[in-house]
Amino acid sequence: MELKTIKIEARKEIKRAKNLKELDELFKKYLSKKGEIAQIFKSLKNLSERERKELGRKANSAKREIEEMIRKKSKELQEKLRKQKIEKEKIDVTRPGKKFTTGHLHPLTLVQREVLEIFKSMGFSVVLGPELETEWYNFDALNIPKDHPARDMWDTFWLQGNQKIPNPKSQIPNKSQKNLRLSAEQTNLKSERLLLRTHTSPVQVRYMEKHNPPLRIVVPGRCFRHEATDASHEIQFYQLEGLMVDENVSAANFRAIIEEFLRRFFKQNIEICLRPSYFPFTEPSFEIDIRREKKGKWTELLGAGMVHPKVFEAAGLNPKEWQGFAFGVGLDRLAMLRYKVNDIRLFYSGDLRFLKQF
Ligand code: DAH
């Protein structure tokens, strides 16, 4: 190419370059070692001194011109790029934010935590037991032998097959002179079938096997019943078991504790009524009804009683030396009263319209 044409072409092409990559190509085309300008310099050796000087000077100035054009164009393109980037990254600070939802505790969890706090403040320890229980702990140890009609009160889900469960043995040696604990032979009963526990009462026995009185525990946990569901029955629900054992624990102590609990939970004075009732693992047994307003309706709330001697025996404790009370209250029941929920099934429905209200 002639120098003149080179200049014209370069100007045209540089002007047209759309991006830095294209510009770079043009730099190579005109200014690199093998580029158009370099070709001109190479051709100088064939010229006369005068022509060489003349063309050399022109080529040099063309080179500078092209360099300058590329430099300018490069700046221009970079500026364009920067503007595009800013445009893309622009944020509209006036746009409404995205609302993100956080989870929260389930009403049953809320109630359970609150109930545990109250009992802890009264010196009770929180103890847990297995949801998958043996027939022994769920029934026999609680004085509900096979074929006893009371078993009908707790229809449950049995697991297939028979599991070999070692017979629970008294694990704490007698320390004092008194015969506070029965020997392993005296508690030699067993049962091997597995089931989903129908109540939290089995934990009474599990705990007393391993701990000497005096003791004060509460046991929250999920229970199961094989029954048709309706507004007040579910196949699963939560209970809280209470147990207090010492040498002289009486029904009066029970009444005082439960009244204090109810007063704190409902944050008002509660009238309670102990009705005689029957549970195989307590003697005597009561049903506790509560009333929140004078002349209001009595609501049945929990079962309780004095621990049956057979239960102490099953746990390896000498019933002649110990006495205590036990109670079982439905946490769902408490939650329904607290939040005015009229259908227990709502707690397990996973329905967000319900859950979002807590
Ligand atoms: N376990 C009983 C039930 O589920 C409730 C109960 C009643 C527990 C009396 C107790 C008690 O500890 O003394 O129906």
Side-chain angles (χ1 to χ4, degrees), residues 227-280:
E227 60 188 353
T229 61
D230 62 30
S232 46
H233 296 87
E234 245 298 358
I235 57 160
Q236 57 177 330
F237 56 96
Y238 284 80
Q239 268 193 347
L240 181 86
E241 191 80 11
L243 176 70
M244 178 167 175
V245 178
D246 205 337
E247 290 181 43
N248 297 302
V249 171
S250 72
N253 296 134
F254 165 69
R255 193 184 168 113
I257 296 246
I258 213 68
E259 251 174 348
E260 178 63 12
F261 161 69
L262 293 171
R263 201 177 55 72
R264 287 206 217 166
F265 181 76
F266 288 109
K267 299 180 177 72
Q268 66 180 99
N269 276 327
I270 299 284
E271 263 189 282
I272 75 168
C273 166
L274 270 63
R275 259 188 305 116
S277 183
Y278 170 75
F279 296 102

Side-chain angles (χ1 to χ4, degrees), residues 31 63-73:
L31 300 176
K63 189 181 163 207
R64 276 195 301 275
E65 250 177 80
I66 296 174
E67 272 171 0
E68 179 61 18
M69 282 191 294
I70 288 183
R71 204 182 54 77
K72 265 196 186 148
K73 183 73 182 181

Side-chain angles (χ1 to χ4, degrees), residues 5-129:
T5 336
I6 293 176
K7 268 165 69 175
I8 295 169
E9 281 297 302
R11 170 166 288 123
K12 245 201 300 198
E13 286 191 305
I14 291 170
K15 208 172 160 191
R16 262 195 252 128
K18 284 194 289 294
N19 53 45
L20 289 169
K21 193 170 165 268
E22 275 180 30
L23 198 62
D24 196 47
E25 291 299 319
L26 292 175
F27 180 89
K28 272 184 212 148
K29 178 173 173 185
Y30 292 102
L31 300 176
S32 69
K33 269 189 195 142
K34 284 184 183 153
E36 296 291 348
I37 296 289
Q39 298 301 322
I40 298 285
F41 282 123
K42 245 184 234 160
S43 71
L44 291 181
K45 63 179 183 294
N46 308 322
L47 300 175
S48 65
E49 167 118 32
R50 202 179 52 81
E51 285 173 322
R52 200 188 306 157
K53 257 192 182 163
E54 171 80 8
L55 191 57
R57 198 176 45 74
K58 280 186 176 162
N60 262 325
S61 105
K63 189 181 163 207
R64 276 195 301 275
E65 250 177 80
I66 296 174
E67 272 171 0
E68 179 61 18
M69 282 191 294
I70 288 183
R71 204 182 54 77
K72 265 196 186 148
K73 183 73 182 181
S74 162
K75 241 178 141 179
E76 213 179 288
L77 286 172
Q78 278 175 33
E79 181 62 15
K80 203 169 116 194
L81 218 64
R82 200 177 66 87
K83 279 194 179 135
Q84 277 172 353
K85 212 173 147 202
I86 289 173
E87 191 58 36
K88 250 199 347 226
E89 286 174 1
K90 195 163 83 176
I91 48 167
D92 177 1
V93 290
T94 65
R95 228 169 94 166
K98 251 194 210 146
K99 196 171 173 181
F100 59 92
T101 45
T102 47
H104 61 82
L105 295 176
H106 190 277
L108 288 176
T109 310
L110 292 171
V111 161
Q112 177 174 314
R113 288 192 177 183
E114 199 180 318
V115 167
L116 293 181
E117 278 315 307
I118 298 174
F119 278 103
K120 279 197 274 183
S121 78
M122 295 195 282
F124 285 76
S125 310
V126 178
V127 174
L128 299 178

